[in-house]
Amino acid sequence: MADQIVECPHCGRRNRVPPAASGVPRCGNCHRPLPWIVDAGDDTFAEIVEQATIPVVVDLWATWCGPCRMVSPALERVACELAGTIKLVKVDVDAARKVSERFSVQAVPTLLIVKGGQVIARQAGAAPAAALHRWIESALANAGDQAT
Ligand SMILES: [Zn+2]
């Protein structure tokens, strides 16, 4: 798994960000959290998604899926808005058969929110960025209630 170069949205510094790590990637210059957007497949799903120490939004998408091309940029926007709170992981279902079987993906896009290795929310179909943002925040708020 190769590191990615992520430009800090606050100060413009280019940072090297690993696909899997504990905690949250922060800018080396201004120390604010960086958007964390990573691709995963069958071999890397456990390390990138299940072992993450922050909640992960999983975008199960396919190259031939029209709505996916609208949802992916919307999710990237939300991942920037919620930098430090969530990690966004994109999984190409055709390249990751085991992951798509495991989560019984019938339609794309299917979105999962995974916290501590458990799926806490799931939805299928496209939605605009504002709706995705609300869905993620309410799922995380509910998960927090259950934990206490
Ligand atoms: Zn910065």
Side-chain angles (χ1 to χ4, degrees), residues 43-114:
D43 297 339
T44 53
F45 191 84
E47 191 179 354
I48 290 179
V49 176
E50 291 168 286
Q51 289 164 30
T53 57
I54 64 170
V56 182
V57 177
V58 182
D59 176 16
L60 296 150
W61 68 284
T63 49
W64 43 264
C65 154
C68 296
R69 284 193 282 273
M70 291 157 60
V71 164
S72 291
L75 280 172
E76 285 173 22
R77 225 177 89 194
V78 176
C80 292
E81 291 164 359
L82 294 175
T85 304
I86 61 154
K87 176 181 190 179
L88 172 61
V89 176
K90 297 194 242 184
V91 177
D92 177 347
V93 293
D94 293 315
R97 310 298 308 184
K98 283 187 208 151
V99 170
S100 59
E101 267 173 41
R102 180 171 149 200
F103 295 104
S104 311
V105 176
Q106 310 285 348
V108 281
T110 288
L111 309 177
L112 310 173
I113 301 177
V114 178

Side-chain angles (χ1 to χ4, degrees), residues 10-51:
H10 305 288
C11 73
R13 160 76 77 93
R14 289 159 67 83
N15 290 269
R16 191 171 285 278
V17 174
S22 67
V24 172
R26 285 178 184 275
C27 175
N29 184 44
C30 71
H31 307 295
R32 281 188 264 199
L34 293 166
W36 206 3
I37 301 169
V38 184
D39 292 305
D42 283 341
D43 297 339
T44 53
F45 191 84
E47 191 179 354
I48 290 179
V49 176
E50 291 168 286
Q51 289 164 30

